[in-house]
């Protein structure tokens, strides 16, 4: 079946502009996550959606970042007034509810590489 | 808070065995995961240990000692295609999202 897809794969934007990044999770996965990966670094948790529950936004670095998930499927991460430090790869992942079964396995998309000039 | 420590780089030759260690500090503990990420690619799940001991999956094995807050990933019969970054991760305190280490870059040479 299809994996997690993200678009665009690359985005170059000017400082101060808004950007929208899209994630289409695996069908049937109720949990969706956004992470950020800066060059040579680990993955930094941003936000988590599970079904119709209120999202866990505890990882969002500032109020310029927001995300929504429509119909329990597709998610959009929006960054307003982009700054150069926002340059990173933004990864989306999906899974069954965390802890289901015996693992916390997450399935990642290919990411969107954001460059703010 | 939660944090994970792992070596930044490891080098080895084809056919060798390499061990990547991970120590963690957590508020509550669910288990330790390992992910592989090739350059420019998506992280992919390798293993998960919730209980102490060794879990074997083909050439890869993962170990956990909860009393020592320590685990490792063991890669045997190394191949060039194993050159990648390896991340250990634990669920956050809420048991929802994952907290990742900074990754270990493994370089396998011939």
């Amino acid at each position: 079946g299809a994996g997690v897809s993200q678009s665009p794969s690359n985005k170059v934007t000017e400082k101060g502009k808004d950007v929208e990044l899209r994630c289409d999770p695996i069908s049937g996965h109720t949990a969706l996550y956004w992470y950020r990966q800066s060059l040579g670094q680990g993955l930094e948790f941003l936000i988590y959606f599970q079904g119709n529950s209120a999202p866990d936004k505890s990882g969002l670095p500032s109020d310029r970042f927001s995300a929504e998930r429509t119909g329990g499927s597709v998610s959009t991460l929006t960054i307003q007034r982009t700054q150069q430090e926002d340059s990173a790869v933004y990864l989306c992942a999906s899974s069954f509810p965390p802890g289901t079964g015996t693992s916390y396995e997450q399935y990642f998309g290919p990411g969107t590489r954001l460059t703010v000039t | 808070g939660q944090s994970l420590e792992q070596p930044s780089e490891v080098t080895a030759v084809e056919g060798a065995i390499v061990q990547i260690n991970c120590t963690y500090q957590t508020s509550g503990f669910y288990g330790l995961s390992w992910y592989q990420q090739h350059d420019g690619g998506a992280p992919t799940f390798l293993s998960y240990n919730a209980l102490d001991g060794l879990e074997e999956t083909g050439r890869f094995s993962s170990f956990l000692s909860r009393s020592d807050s320590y685990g490792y990933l063991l890669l045997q019969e190394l191949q060039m295609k194993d050159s990648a970054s390896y991340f250990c991760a634990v669920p956050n305190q809420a048991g929802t999202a994952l907290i990742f280490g900074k990754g270990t870059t493994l370089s396998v040479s011939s």
Side-chain angles (χ1 to χ4, degrees), chain B:
Chain B
Q2 294 174 281
S3 65
L4 299 99
E5 294 288 333
Q6 52 181 129
S8 57
E9 293 184 21
V10 174
T11 59
V13 296
E14 276 188 300
I17 299 172
V18 72
Q19 178 174 311
I20 300 174
N21 299 319
C22 174
T23 57
Y24 57 85
Q25 289 185 313
T26 61
S27 304
F29 180 75
Y30 298 88
L32 182 69
S33 299
W34 289 92
Y35 282 77
Q36 178 191 59
Q37 185 180 33
H38 285 99
D39 203 24
T44 56
F45 174 83
L46 291 177
S47 67
Y48 174 77
N49 294 64
L51 302 176
D52 292 352
L54 189 68
E55 299 270 349
E56 299 182 57
T57 308
R59 295 187 298 114
F60 293 4
S61 303
S62 56
F63 172 82
L64 175 67
S65 169
R66 290 174 295 171
S67 61
D68 295 321
S69 297
Y70 162 76
Y72 64 72
L73 181 68
L74 188 73
L75 298 87
Q76 303 182 74
E77 301 171 19
L78 282 173
Q79 303 175 9
M80 297 289 283
K81 67 178 182 180
D82 298 328
S83 293
S85 292
Y86 294 84
F87 296 89
C88 56
V90 295
N92 62 9
Q93 190 170 2
T96 53
L98 292 173
I99 306 299
F100 285 82
K102 292 189 175 182
T104 299
T105 300
L106 170 64
S107 299
V108 180
S109 59
S110 57

Side-chain angles (χ1 to χ4, degrees), chain A residues 8 18 20 22 33 38 43 63 65-66 70 83 100 116-117:
Chain A
D18 297 352
E20 284 190 353
R22 176 188 167 105
Y33 317 78
S38 301
L43 284 72
D63 58 7
F65 288 72
S66 63
T70 54
Q83 303 294 312
T100 300
V116 182
T117 62

Side-chain angles (χ1 to χ4, degrees), chain A residues 30-47:
Chain A
T30 58
L32 186 146
Y33 317 78
W34 283 98
Y35 293 89
R36 177 169 70 175
Q37 186 174 30
S38 301
L39 188 64
Q41 297 296 309
L43 284 72
E44 175 190 5
F45 165 68
L46 297 177
I47 189 169

Side-chain angles (χ1 to χ4, degrees), chain A residues 36 57 59-66 78-81 86:
Chain A
R36 177 169 70 175
K57 306 179 182 180
L60 295 178
S62 78
D63 58 7
R64 296 187 296 105
F65 288 72
S66 63
T78 301
I79 308 173
Q80 296 179 308
R81 305 181 302 281
D86 299 334

